[in-house]
Amino acid sequence: MTDTRSPAARRGLGDFLRTRRERLSPEQVGLPPTARRRTPGLRREEVAVLAGVGVTWYTWLEQGRPINVSTQVLVAVGRALKLNDAEKRHLQLLAGVRMPSAEPAESDPALSDTFQPVLDKLDPYPACLQTPLYDVVAYNRAYRFLFTDMDRIPPGERNCAMQFFTDPDWRSRYVDDDIVAARMVARMRAVVGADVEESKASTLINDLRERSEEFAQLWNRHDILLHHYEIKRLNSPLMGLLRLNFVSTNVEGTGNRMIVMTPMDEVTSERLTRLAALTTPTDGGSAGADPDLS
């Protein structure tokens, strides 16, 4: 196929291949160990041999040169680099073999009116409607007070990624915040693709890269994560420790997802019931320190 991608998109593919190559050792791919290397991971020529492609061709691919790429060769490269299913799909998207199904969805105010009754029925389970890039479109009462009083955040600023990476109070709600940070960025990477500047997400991504050194470092790792069901521990300022199962469901035709958080134990269930009954943050007081946070 003819390479019609932009220079930025080709560089994105090269960066992704380089980061995948650098995480592997010769032993992991069945090659004999060698003397100490100046750079981590496999050499380009080793990847080329493992994939059955020319060294020059693979070098040009990593350098972002405009060369033809076939699905068959990408499969071989993905196998050589031991990519998982999400990374294989991402590699194809970066190479332009298969384009993403849709641009990252934007917040649609009309969706709030449509889904608000559904979200309200899910109380006392915290639930929200969210774009793939973490803009919160609508939410129920239990979700309102989960991290802070969401009603006090202007609608255009209700982005969970921005809040997480720039607001220490929001971030402190996550017990395992380092794990959450890496997974959040990896999911955003999967959505945006290679050419950030040509995406509707460019403003958000570039703003996060400028405001958070941690986000910039995680973004440059090129890690990819698609569907992932998680159990998270949240330290609610009003209710204490909550152990929650995060269930995410795509809403057909909107590009958005509905997230519902269900309790993992009786204590969390009882605390969610009290959280959903609040009308103001002061109704709940504070649960204080929770010994289970350790």
Side-chain angles (χ1 to χ4, degrees):
M1 56 173 283
T2 303
D3 191 349
T4 59
R5 295 169 301 136
S6 68
R10 292 196 296 270
R11 287 194 300 271
L13 172 60
D15 289 342
F16 177 67
L17 290 172
R18 175 183 52 77
T19 58
R20 303 306 90 180
R21 173 171 59 83
E22 290 177 350
R23 70 180 182 177
L24 292 173
S25 67
E27 294 84 352
Q28 287 177 290
V29 296
L31 295 176
T34 60
R36 187 174 180 179
R37 300 178 175 219
R38 290 179 296 176
T39 57
L42 299 176
R43 299 186 177 100
R44 286 173 176 166
E45 55 266 31
E46 291 171 331
V47 176
V49 170
L50 290 169
V53 299
V55 175
T56 300
W57 181 90
Y58 181 78
T59 299
W60 286 356
L61 187 65
E62 268 202 23
Q63 290 176 343
R65 298 198 189 188
I67 58 177
N68 295 336
V69 185
S70 69
T71 303
Q72 182 179 3
V73 171
L74 287 176
V75 169
V77 171
R79 186 183 304 113
L81 292 172
K82 292 190 173 299
L83 303 186
N84 61 33
D85 289 342
E87 291 169 332
K88 290 175 183 176
R89 176 184 177 276
H90 190 65
L91 176 62
Q92 292 178 349
L93 297 181
L94 297 183
V97 174
R98 292 189 307 171
M99 297 305 295
S101 58
E103 273 282 329
E106 297 178 327
S107 299
D108 183 355
L111 288 175
S112 178
D113 294 336
T114 302
F115 283 90
Q116 193 63 57
V118 178
L119 298 173
D120 291 340
K121 288 292 185 181
L122 291 170
D123 275 324
Y125 297 162
C128 70
L129 188 67
Q130 194 179 82
T131 71
L133 292 174
Y134 294 97
D135 287 317
V136 177
V137 180
Y139 50 89
N140 62 5
R141 183 177 293 178
Y143 187 92
R144 173 187 171 183
F145 295 114
L146 193 61
F147 301 96
T148 184
D149 186 352
M150 285 289 289
D151 283 3
R152 295 185 179 180
I153 301 177
E157 299 176 16
R158 293 172 184 166
N159 181 277
C160 293
M162 182 61 70
Q163 296 295 329
F164 180 90
F165 284 101
T166 63
D167 184 347
D169 286 338
W170 183 288
R171 176 154 184 160
S172 69
R173 308 303 180 222
Y174 290 90
V175 178
D176 307 297
D177 60 301
D178 289 343
I179 296 174
V180 172
R183 289 175 175 174
M184 183 178 290
V185 177
R187 280 193 290 268
M188 296 176 77
R189 255 294 181 192
V191 171
V192 172
D195 197 345
V196 176
E197 301 308 322
E198 293 298 322
S199 166
K200 294 177 182 177
S202 61
T203 300
L204 173 64
I205 299 300
N206 290 334
D207 195 11
L208 278 166
R209 291 161 78 178
E210 291 177 2
R211 297 178 62 179
S212 171
E213 182 179 352
E214 178 190 24
F215 180 91
Q217 291 175 347
L218 290 170
W219 186 260
N220 290 336
R221 278 167 41 175
H222 288 263
D223 290 339
I224 301 298
L225 185 64
L226 294 178
H227 307 295
H228 189 81
Y229 297 98
E230 298 177 294
I231 296 174
K232 293 181 182 177
R233 297 185 296 165
L234 298 182
N235 183 22
S236 165
L238 302 177
M239 298 298 161
L241 180 64
L242 303 173
R243 293 185 176 90
L244 300 165
N245 182 30
F246 277 53
V247 179
S248 177
T249 304
N250 291 329
V251 180
E252 186 177 2
T254 70
N256 293 275
R257 59 196 175 204
M258 183 179 294
I259 297 175
V260 182
M261 307 172 198
T262 58
M264 297 298 296
D265 53 53
E266 289 298 324
V267 172
T268 299
S269 180
E270 185 273 333
R271 290 178 177 180
L272 288 180
T273 299
R274 287 193 284 129
L275 186 67
L278 301 182
T279 56
T280 66
T282 56
D283 288 345
S286 176
D290 196 313
D292 292 332
L293 284 176
S294 59

